[in-house]
Amino acid sequence: MFLNTLMRRNPRFIEAAMALHQAGEIPPNSYVLDLDTVEENARIFNNVARRLGLKTFAMTKQVSRHSGFCQAVMRGGIERNVAVDMDCAVACDRAGLKTGHLGHLVQVPQRDADFAATQIQPDYWTVFSMDKAREAAQAAAKVGRVQNILVRIQTSGDTFYRGHEGGFDAEKITQIADDIDALDGARFAGITTFPALLFDQDSGQVTPTQNLATLSKALRALSNAGRTDIEVNAPGTNSVNLLPALAKAGATQVEPGNALHGTTPLHAVQDLPELPAVLYLSEVSHHHKDEAYCFGGGLYIDPVFPEYEVQALVSGTPTSDTSALHPVDVPEYKAIDYYGMIDATGRPRPKTGDTVIFGFRGQSFVTRANCVGILGTGTDSPRVTTVENIFGQPIERHKGSTS
């Protein structure tokens, strides 16, 4: 899947990460980011989005809200983040990437509303209910702000992942807009859903969900009621190649996450403008029978594809050659991923301390992994910027000695 694409399209990144691990600069159980490539991906994406009149908010959760990632997307021209939860908002704000969109997918907790209104001050704040709208409005009014509110809408037949459900009745959108505007401290700004696009396994393409049609229908109703300048937030599987279709459907806001590091499902089956810029790095710990065990902690493979044979590059020297590939058995999600199990029956046999490189679509914020930024992967002197935890906070570690 993504490892093959990574080996083919960004081999120097793999080799730089291996070399830095073997020099003691990168600990095992780390998502590693090629920050130069992230910057260029952001620039490519943002340039197209701007030409189409789309606002771009960067999603950072997949790579642990890493401060270097935030700064790389800013250098690439993306000036705002979409915070999937309050932890994202705080981490990005600390890194200097201000919040464009808060409250979607995770609503702002009631007792965090004042903090969000005073400290985060998002451009747009999504709510799923009038209760949450009132909380946002009241918090904003206390500090003399009028908060732009997006409402999540839904109707029968729309697609939701289990545990993501919620939102206003799309058929009542004009009345909902009036109700939001009647709140002191709030202004109805637009509508949103998730997911607007999904990868289709059978066709190998990204296709619109009914949710996108629901947004378009609601937009027409609002326009017919005399409302103008309506924001239409349409997240889900964004990449450069899909932006024209979103703009045509009426979208005004897009939220790339995996696109910025080249790991949307479509990137696994097509060569898109965004290059792969993230990998997961581990290290061989020990052997048991015919398997070499590598450290886990971040082995969360986002299940956008049916189960497939996982492979990893395993080597004591930097390489992106297919001869270093080994099959790996990854623990089931119900188990704690203390280790991954590498097939050690082939040659060369993995050795203790060897670097292990995986390429998969991760969600590092739900793991206990580190996240590491690298600059200069295209040079002879790549370097680590920071090693951070899943909240975008630097980790102080003892640098290991090398022999």
Side-chain angles (χ1 to χ4, degrees), residues 3 29 76 151 254 326 360 376 394 399:
L3 182 58
N29 183 31
V151 298
V254 290
H326 292 259
F360 51 74
K399 180 178 174 180

Side-chain angles (χ1 to χ4, degrees), residues 28 63 110 207 271 314 326 364:
V63 290
Q110 185 179 82
T207 58
D271 283 354
V314 186
H326 292 259
S364 64

Side-chain angles (χ1 to χ4, degrees), residues 15 18-19 22 314-320 324 351 354-355:
E15 292 157 14
M18 282 187 156
Q22 289 158 16
V314 186
S315 178
T317 57
T319 183
S320 55
K351 303 185 299 298
D354 278 359
T355 307

Side-chain angles (χ1 to χ4, degrees), residues 150-166:
L150 299 179
V151 298
R152 165 84 78 97
I153 59 173
Q154 50 81 33
T155 194
S156 177
D158 281 358
T159 296
F160 289 104
Y161 294 110
R162 180 64 176 148
H164 289 203
E165 299 91 345

Side-chain angles (χ1 to χ4, degrees), residues 30 69 74 138 227 259 319 327 334 346 355 361-362 367 375 384:
S30 291
F69 179 81
M74 284 189 284
Q138 289 167 5
R227 288 185 174 270
T319 183
K334 64 184 179 182
T355 307
R361 173 185 161 99
T367 74
L375 287 172
V384 168

Side-chain angles (χ1 to χ4, degrees), residues 84-350:
V84 72
D85 56 20
M86 287 299 295
D87 289 320
C88 281
V90 170
C92 292
D93 193 74
R94 183 172 58 236
L97 182 62
K98 299 302 181 182
T99 297
H101 185 195
L102 179 66
H104 192 215
L105 298 164
V106 180
Q107 293 281 272
V108 175
Q110 185 179 82
R111 290 160 190 83
D112 281 338
D114 286 347
F115 177 84
T118 57
Q119 301 299 314
I120 302 301
Q121 298 189 3
D123 297 337
Y124 301 93
W125 185 326
T126 283
V127 297
F128 293 4
S129 67
M130 283 304 297
D131 285 342
K132 301 309 278 185
R134 281 187 285 270
E135 290 171 9
Q138 289 167 5
K142 287 179 186 178
V143 291
R145 297 182 65 235
V146 176
Q147 177 64 55
N148 287 322
I149 298 292
L150 299 179
V151 298
R152 165 84 78 97
I153 59 173
Q154 50 81 33
T155 194
S156 177
D158 281 358
T159 296
F160 289 104
Y161 294 110
R162 180 64 176 148
H164 289 203
E165 299 91 345
F168 291 88
D169 183 350
E171 305 300 322
K172 300 176 181 177
I173 188 58
T174 56
Q175 182 59 54
I176 293 162
D178 291 342
D179 292 343
I180 298 290
D181 279 342
L183 298 172
D184 183 29
R187 170 188 170 270
F188 175 80
I191 51 180
T192 187
T193 187
F194 180 81
L197 300 173
L198 275 180
F199 181 76
D200 180 68
Q201 300 282 355
D202 295 332
S203 67
Q205 299 293 324
V206 173
T207 58
T209 64
Q210 179 185 288
N211 304 37
L212 187 59
T214 299
L215 287 181
S216 297
K217 183 179 178 181
L219 177 61
R220 288 193 298 272
L222 290 164
S223 298
N224 291 338
R227 288 185 174 270
T228 59
D229 299 324
I230 300 301
E231 295 288 339
V232 179
N233 178 273
T237 320
N238 290 168
S239 67
V240 166
N241 288 15
L242 300 169
L243 296 183
L246 287 170
K248 185 177 180 180
T252 64
Q253 300 178 3
V254 290
E255 298 179 343
N258 291 93
L260 298 175
H261 32 86
T263 54
T264 75
L266 201 58
H267 283 87
V269 297
Q270 292 184 24
D271 283 354
L272 301 180
E274 306 97 342
L275 289 175
V278 64
L279 56 81
Y280 178 72
L281 183 148
S282 186
E283 174 185 304
V284 174
S285 165
H286 63 280
H287 292 76
H288 176 70
K289 297 183 178 178
D290 290 330
E291 294 178 315
Y293 282 57
C294 66
F295 297 104
L299 292 171
Y300 178 92
I301 301 176
D302 196 355
V304 293
F305 292 106
E307 288 189 18
Y308 60 91
E309 182 185 67
V310 177
Q311 291 187 311
L313 287 167
V314 186
S315 178
T317 57
T319 183
S320 55
D321 193 88
T322 56
S323 63
L325 285 171
H326 292 259
V328 183
D329 185 16
V330 176
E332 296 181 19
Y333 291 130
K334 64 184 179 182
I336 298 172
D337 64 325
Y338 291 116
Y339 297 100
M341 288 70 72
I342 304 164
D343 183 347
T345 58
R347 292 290 181 269
R349 180 177 170 82

